[in-house]
Amino acid sequence: MTAAATAQLAFDGSGMDGSLFTSITDFARDTKWLNTPMEVWTNLGLGVFAVLMVMGWWKARRRGTEAMTVALAAPVAVVVAFAAAEVVKKLVTEARPCRSMPHAYLVDACPAPSDYSLPSGHATVAAATVAALFLLDRRLSAIAAVFGLIEGFSRVYVGDHYPHDVLASVILALPIAYLTSLALRRWGTPLVASLNHGALRPLLTAEPPKVAQHAP
């Protein structure tokens, strides 16, 4: 199938909130000084969520086996949510705004026709990180939520997604990541506990190994 045919078969989501999309992209037109920072952030900003998960792992080393299990489950939960989002993309096949609304002001380049719009993969990662960290550290989860709002806004600002794409990502990612973390906490804690006595112990706990007491 040609790229043109793929674009024609894709669902046009502009009728849902196209006016809100253009309001935000018009704002982008009026704030060209912000275009480059937002374009850089919308991609590289995902690294912030990775850093927050690393921070969660580091803090979990001092909080016991269950906390460490949740910390290790966080990236798995994000990957599971992202995979689910990719499946939904293929099922919905919503065309990107740059194809449905080509006259809108777009900061980012238009992706391939087969790279669909709903849900947003970037927003999915952000929302999934919020949910995955919620069981581990509420403060880190709140920080992730703040950055997640910026990430979601940036996806619309640069013209890559409609607002409903970002909302769909949140609705999809939050329960999937949370339930995945919850399940892995339950089923993975015994495994992490057993690994805690082996060569991986320095990565799983900050507590020094116990010295065996010998009877006199």
Side-chain angles (χ1 to χ4, degrees), residues 81-165:
F82 183 82
E86 289 300 300
V87 171
V88 172
K89 272 190 177 185
K90 300 300 183 184
L91 293 175
V92 177
T93 63
E94 179 189 68
R96 291 276 185 165
C98 59
R99 301 193 182 279
S100 298
M101 306 184 71
H103 299 298
Y105 179 79
L106 305 172
V107 175
D108 216 354
C110 193
S114 58
D115 187 353
Y116 300 115
S117 191
L118 187 152
S120 162
H122 290 67
T124 296
V125 170
T129 303
V130 173
L133 289 176
F134 186 79
L135 288 173
L136 177 65
D137 190 300
R138 301 290 172 83
R139 181 175 297 180
L140 289 177
S141 179
I143 294 172
V146 172
F147 283 114
L149 289 173
I150 300 172
E151 181 65 33
F153 177 77
S154 74
R155 300 308 291 155
V156 183
Y157 181 95
V158 301
D160 278 343
H161 290 281
Y162 295 107
H164 68 260
D165 296 337

Side-chain angles (χ1 to χ4, degrees), residues 76-86 119 124-125 127-128 169 172-174 176-177 180:
V76 178
V78 172
V79 169
V80 171
F82 183 82
E86 289 300 300
T124 296
V125 170
S169 303
L172 177 73
L174 286 180
I176 290 178
T180 300

